[in-house]
Amino acid sequence: MRIVSADTGGAVLDGAYEPIGLIATAAVLIEKPFKTATMSIVKYADPFNYDLSGREAIKDEVFLAIKLAKKVKPDVIHLDSSLGGIELRKLDDPTIDALRISDRGKAIWHELSKDLQPLAKRFWEDTGIEILAIGKDSVAVRIAEIYAGIYSAKWAIEYAREEGSIRIGLPRYMKVEIHESRIYGESLDPREGGLYGEIESNNEGIGWELYPNPVARTFMVLEVWRE
Amino acid sequence: MRIVSADTGGAVLDGAYEPIGLIATAAVLIEKPFKTATMSIVKYADPFNYDLSGREAIKDEVFLAIKLAKKVKPDVIHLDSSLGGIELRKLDDPTIDALRISDRGKAIWHELSKDLQPLAKRFWEDTGIEILAIGKDSVAVRIAEIYAGIYSAKWAIEYAREEGSIRIGLPRYMKVEIHESRIYGESLDPREGGLYGEIESNNEGIGWELYPNPVARTFMVLEVWRE
Amino acid sequence: MRIVSADTGGAVLDGAYEPIGLIATAAVLIEKPFKTATMSIVKYADPFNYDLSGREAIKDEVFLAIKLAKKVKPDVIHLDSSLGGIELRKLDDPTIDALRISDRGKAIWHELSKDLQPLAKRFWEDTGIEILAIGKDSVAVRIAEIYAGIYSAKWAIEYAREEGSIRIGLPRYMKVEIHESRIYGESLDPREGGLYGEIESNNEGIGWELYPNPVARTFMVLEVWRE
Ligand SMILES: [Mg+2]
Ligand SMILES: [Mg+2]
Ligand SMILES: [Mg+2]
């Protein structure tokens, strides 16, 4: 089974360690033994001008996952939306109303599905690849989340080179290590069975520190600065 | 405190990593320091012809726990059903209706209690041993779950010897290691304080691989094959 | 950001490993990198005569946190009550009724706020320091919980010196190590990013054992005895 997934994460933090805006959407290709990605791509957002309602993220994720899927032809696409694994192309208004989710979640999906449902339908007709709203049960979604954190670290390094320093929040219970020519990241939850990721990055002349976010237990803060 | 518990787990998986049927019910005796079993027995199901509704499992667990308890005379039996620790012998219809569980859970227990309540009552009258529906709070239940996973690995090895290979899903966040003459298993959740188990098994000529189930985060897949 | 927090934990256990009463309220000062306390104080309760409803603990925590805060002048106080981070000085009756918590929680807070709301208001007027009901999201609260466990171990050692031995339950997924002149404690959840604590204590002539609480999964039992 070859799975493409996408997720958005990493946030610029304010002085109170609260998120200002998200940094990176990563799409990944996952293959057996499902512990890391065999390919990854990224799309950066502007964290200083970001809609935190979650609508922007899901759209970015669908577009980026389809972009990668066109290239690598996976068996299926996993989306970070926990709707019980339903196919995105089937998410019409009556189906959304029948979901066991909050009223707020339904309102968001009524709006999102206007664009995304026809897109998913067309993609499935062209390729036979389903886009499933499987969410937190998917290891592929979690690996995409870890890569979103790794790419956010890369973004932070580039930002610090220009601006001097920055403080970002990583996705839930993961850490990163910044080496001279690569960034390594891994899950801090051993129950997940050893999920990790790595990308190349020129990190010379950069200092960094990783520590728990005091107001968001199980989330880590990464500070990077130009040395 | 000496506790007997039983649990069912390990599942044959289909090509999409979804469970077809459960493999093993294990009953265990747990004694201080409560990290592993001092005795264990197993009853195998037919995973290719299995009722996944959960009724079959609970009955098997009560019968197997009583079988082991008759031999080792524990202080108490822990059942993997999270009903707040209520005594099984007291689970009559009005008591079930008063439980804070789902309507589906109540329907299942109204049916199950027909057989199990009188059985538990008789067992208690004979031995003084209570059967408690304590569920997820019990370390004994978790150790029984780990042994169900270890015995499922043993079943898979025997299956692979005959049929060539098989792929099973282990119970939640646990791993196994297949050594030449034994199978070792342990929890992947360090919060549980180091729970593990081990059984003897002739594993010569068997190859194996363990990796995350891509569609069930925190669950591991075990593949075994005849070499 | 310098945070003061307080929490109550550690319990004397009966023969069935059930809590009789809580042992210690710890207040801590937390500073970057937020992995341990830079200062801690304790107030011991009488676990053999304890109101387990939770009211006693919260009052003790507010008083002890304010006591430490007067000394170290933090930016903020974090309280172990998960009310979304609301300021304690704003918790009047209509605000409590509007909270998304259980009716039982509302009744408790209607009673608690009679004393605590004016106290928090006065403290804020005097010092500008807010007391936030942030609860489980706060790393400072978790570190206070770990110190409550460490101080409970110290209490148990002193109790064992007088009475011979005792068995206590530690706060959720943490362990302690009793060394000759200090007690070290740490979280068993690696997702928290390495939270720990340490206090001085004369532990000569004391034996100890740590193991999982069989009826409270993810909680550890500490036994200590005079050798
Ligand atoms: Mg997401
Ligand atoms: Mg079970
Ligand atoms: Mg507390």
Side-chain angles (χ1 to χ4, degrees):
Chain A
M1 189 185 274
R2 300 169 71 248
I3 310 168
V4 160
S5 184
D7 196 23
T8 305
V12 173
L13 300 179
D14 65 18
Y17 294 99
E18 297 287 348
I20 290 169
L22 299 183
I23 298 169
T25 299
V28 294
L29 169 66
I30 308 298
E31 297 171 279
K32 200 180 142 186
F34 310 113
K35 291 189 185 180
T36 191
T38 44
M39 190 175 304
S40 71
I41 59 176
V42 64
K43 177 175 181 290
Y44 289 111
D46 175 4
F48 298 105
N49 185 15
Y50 196 88
D51 162 27
L52 275 171
S53 75
R55 251 156 289 204
E56 191 173 329
I58 289 178
K59 282 193 184 179
D60 284 347
E61 292 160 18
V62 173
F63 293 142
L64 201 68
I66 286 179
K67 185 179 168 186
L68 181 58
K70 281 180 175 163
K71 203 164 148 184
V72 301
K73 306 266 185 266
D75 299 304
V76 66
I77 293 176
H78 283 182
L79 212 57
D80 181 23
S81 188
S82 296
L83 305 181
I86 197 167
E87 297 89 347
L88 185 55
R89 68 181 169 91
K90 294 182 182 169
L91 264 189
D92 54 17
D93 283 341
T95 304
I96 292 167
D97 283 326
L99 292 172
R100 289 189 193 176
I101 59 174
S102 69
D103 285 347
R104 198 174 156 272
K106 285 181 189 181
I108 291 177
W109 271 106
H110 278 301
E111 203 190 310
L112 280 171
S113 68
K114 278 195 191 69
D115 295 337
L116 298 183
Q117 185 271 337
L119 178 68
K121 187 153 175 284
R122 231 174 311 124
F123 184 68
W124 173 78
E125 285 165 354
D126 291 352
T127 64
I129 301 172
E130 291 282 12
I131 303 175
L132 304 182
I134 178 176
K136 61 182 167 45
D137 283 334
S138 167
V139 167
V141 167
R142 175 61 172 154
I143 292 172
E145 184 170 59
I146 291 169
Y147 272 82
I150 295 169
Y151 280 112
S152 292
K154 184 180 169 93
W155 178 92
I157 288 162
E158 282 157 23
Y159 184 93
R161 254 192 233 296
E162 309 263 311
E163 307 292 336
S165 71
I166 195 161
R167 187 153 70 181
I168 70 169
L170 295 179
R172 75 193 65 245
Y173 39 89
M174 70 168 285
K175 67 166 191 177
V176 294
E177 294 168 10
I178 298 177
H179 298 278
E180 202 169 277
S181 61
R182 60 194 177 89
I183 303 170
Y184 173 81
E186 70 177 23
S187 170
L188 290 174
D189 189 349
R191 299 179 306 171
E192 295 182 335
L195 308 184
Y196 69 95
E198 193 167 71
I199 62 172
E200 294 191 0
S201 168
N202 171 17
N203 306 321
E204 279 174 275
I206 291 292
W208 62 284
E209 185 179 8
L210 187 85
Y211 55 85
N213 184 328
V215 297
R217 188 143 69 107
T218 71
F219 287 81
M220 301 298 124
V221 175
L222 174 68
E223 279 187 27
V224 299
W225 59 86
R226 192 171 56 205
E227 279 186 326
Chain B
M1 190 185 274
R2 299 169 69 248
I3 310 168
V4 159
S5 183
D7 197 23
T8 305
V12 172
L13 300 179
D14 66 18
Y17 294 98
E18 298 286 350
I20 290 168
L22 299 183
I23 298 170
T25 299
V28 294
L29 170 65
I30 307 298
E31 297 171 279
K32 198 179 146 188
F34 310 114
K35 291 190 184 178
T36 190
T38 45
M39 190 174 303
S40 70
I41 59 177
V42 65
K43 178 176 179 288
Y44 289 113
D46 175 4
F48 298 106
N49 184 16
Y50 196 89
D51 164 27
L52 275 170
S53 75
R55 252 156 290 200
E56 192 174 329
I58 289 178
K59 282 193 186 178
D60 284 347
E61 292 160 17
V62 173
F63 292 143
L64 201 68
I66 286 179
K67 185 180 169 184
L68 180 58
K70 281 180 175 164
K71 202 165 149 184
V72 303
K73 306 266 184 267
D75 299 305
V76 67
I77 292 176
H78 284 182
L79 212 57
D80 182 24
S81 187
S82 296
L83 304 181
I86 196 167
E87 296 90 346
L88 185 54
R89 69 182 167 91
K90 294 182 183 166
L91 265 189
D92 54 17
D93 284 342
T95 305
I96 293 166
D97 283 327
L99 293 172
R100 291 188 191 176
I101 58 174
S102 69
D103 285 345
R104 199 175 155 272
K106 286 182 188 179
I108 290 176
W109 270 106
H110 278 303
E111 203 190 310
L112 280 171
S113 69
K114 278 194 192 70
D115 296 336
L116 297 183
Q117 186 270 337
L119 178 69
K121 188 154 175 282
R122 232 174 313 126
F123 184 68
W124 173 77
E125 286 165 353
D126 290 352
T127 64
I129 301 171
E130 292 282 12
I131 303 175
L132 304 181
I134 178 176
K136 60 182 168 44
D137 283 334
S138 167
V139 167
V141 167
R142 175 60 172 154
I143 293 173
E145 185 171 57
I146 290 169
Y147 272 83
I150 295 169
Y151 280 112
S152 292
K154 185 180 169 93
W155 178 92
I157 288 162
E158 281 157 24
Y159 184 93
R161 253 192 234 296
E162 308 263 311
E163 307 290 337
S165 70
I166 194 161
R167 187 154 68 180
I168 70 169
L170 296 179
R172 73 193 66 243
Y173 38 89
M174 71 167 285
K175 68 166 190 179
V176 292
E177 294 169 9
I178 297 176
H179 299 279
E180 203 169 276
S181 60
R182 61 196 175 87
I183 303 171
Y184 173 82
E186 68 177 24
S187 169
L188 290 174
D189 189 348
R191 299 179 305 171
E192 295 182 335
L195 308 184
Y196 69 96
E198 193 168 71
I199 62 172
E200 294 191 0
S201 168
N202 172 16
N203 306 321
E204 279 174 276
I206 291 292
W208 62 284
E209 185 179 8
L210 188 86
Y211 55 86
N213 184 328
V215 297
R217 187 142 69 107
T218 72
F219 287 81
M220 300 298 125
V221 175
L222 174 68
E223 279 186 26
V224 298
W225 59 85
R226 193 172 55 206
E227 278 186 326
Chain C
M1 188 185 276
R2 299 169 70 249
I3 309 168
V4 159
S5 184
D7 197 22
T8 305
V12 173
L13 301 179
D14 66 19
Y17 295 99
E18 298 287 350
I20 290 169
L22 299 183
I23 298 170
T25 299
V28 294
L29 170 65
I30 306 298
E31 297 171 278
K32 199 179 144 186
F34 309 114
K35 291 188 184 180
T36 191
T38 45
M39 190 175 303
S40 70
I41 59 176
V42 65
K43 178 175 179 290
Y44 289 112
D46 176 4
F48 298 104
N49 184 15
Y50 196 89
D51 163 27
L52 275 169
S53 75
R55 252 156 288 202
E56 192 175 328
I58 289 179
K59 282 193 184 178
D60 284 347
E61 291 159 18
V62 173
F63 293 142
L64 201 67
I66 285 180
K67 185 180 168 186
L68 180 58
K70 281 179 176 165
K71 202 165 150 186
V72 302
K73 305 266 183 267
D75 298 305
V76 67
I77 293 176
H78 283 182
L79 212 56
D80 181 24
S81 188
S82 295
L83 304 180
I86 195 167
E87 296 89 346
L88 185 54
R89 69 181 167 93
K90 293 181 184 168
L91 265 190
D92 54 18
D93 284 340
T95 305
I96 293 167
D97 283 326
L99 292 171
R100 291 187 191 178
I101 59 173
S102 69
D103 285 346
R104 197 173 157 274
K106 285 181 188 180
I108 291 177
W109 270 105
H110 278 302
E111 203 191 310
L112 280 172
S113 68
K114 278 194 191 71
D115 295 336
L116 298 183
Q117 185 271 337
L119 178 69
K121 188 153 175 284
R122 231 173 315 125
F123 185 68
W124 172 78
E125 286 165 352
D126 291 351
T127 64
I129 301 172
E130 292 281 13
I131 303 176
L132 305 182
I134 177 177
K136 60 181 168 45
D137 283 335
S138 167
V139 167
V141 167
R142 175 60 172 154
I143 292 173
E145 185 170 59
I146 290 169
Y147 272 83
I150 294 170
Y151 280 113
S152 292
K154 184 181 170 95
W155 178 91
I157 287 162
E158 282 159 23
Y159 184 93
R161 251 192 236 297
E162 308 262 311
E163 308 291 336
S165 70
I166 194 162
R167 188 153 69 179
I168 70 169
L170 296 178
R172 73 192 67 243
Y173 38 89
M174 71 168 286
K175 69 167 191 178
V176 293
E177 294 169 9
I178 297 176
H179 299 279
E180 201 169 278
S181 61
R182 60 195 177 88
I183 303 170
Y184 172 82
E186 70 178 23
S187 170
L188 290 173
D189 189 348
R191 300 179 305 171
E192 294 181 335
L195 308 184
Y196 69 95
E198 193 167 71
I199 62 171
E200 295 192 0
S201 168
N202 171 17
N203 306 322
E204 279 174 275
I206 291 292
W208 61 284
E209 185 179 9
L210 188 85
Y211 55 87
N213 185 328
V215 297
R217 188 144 68 108
T218 71
F219 286 82
M220 300 299 125
V221 174
L222 173 69
E223 279 186 26
V224 298
W225 59 85
R226 193 171 56 203
E227 279 186 326

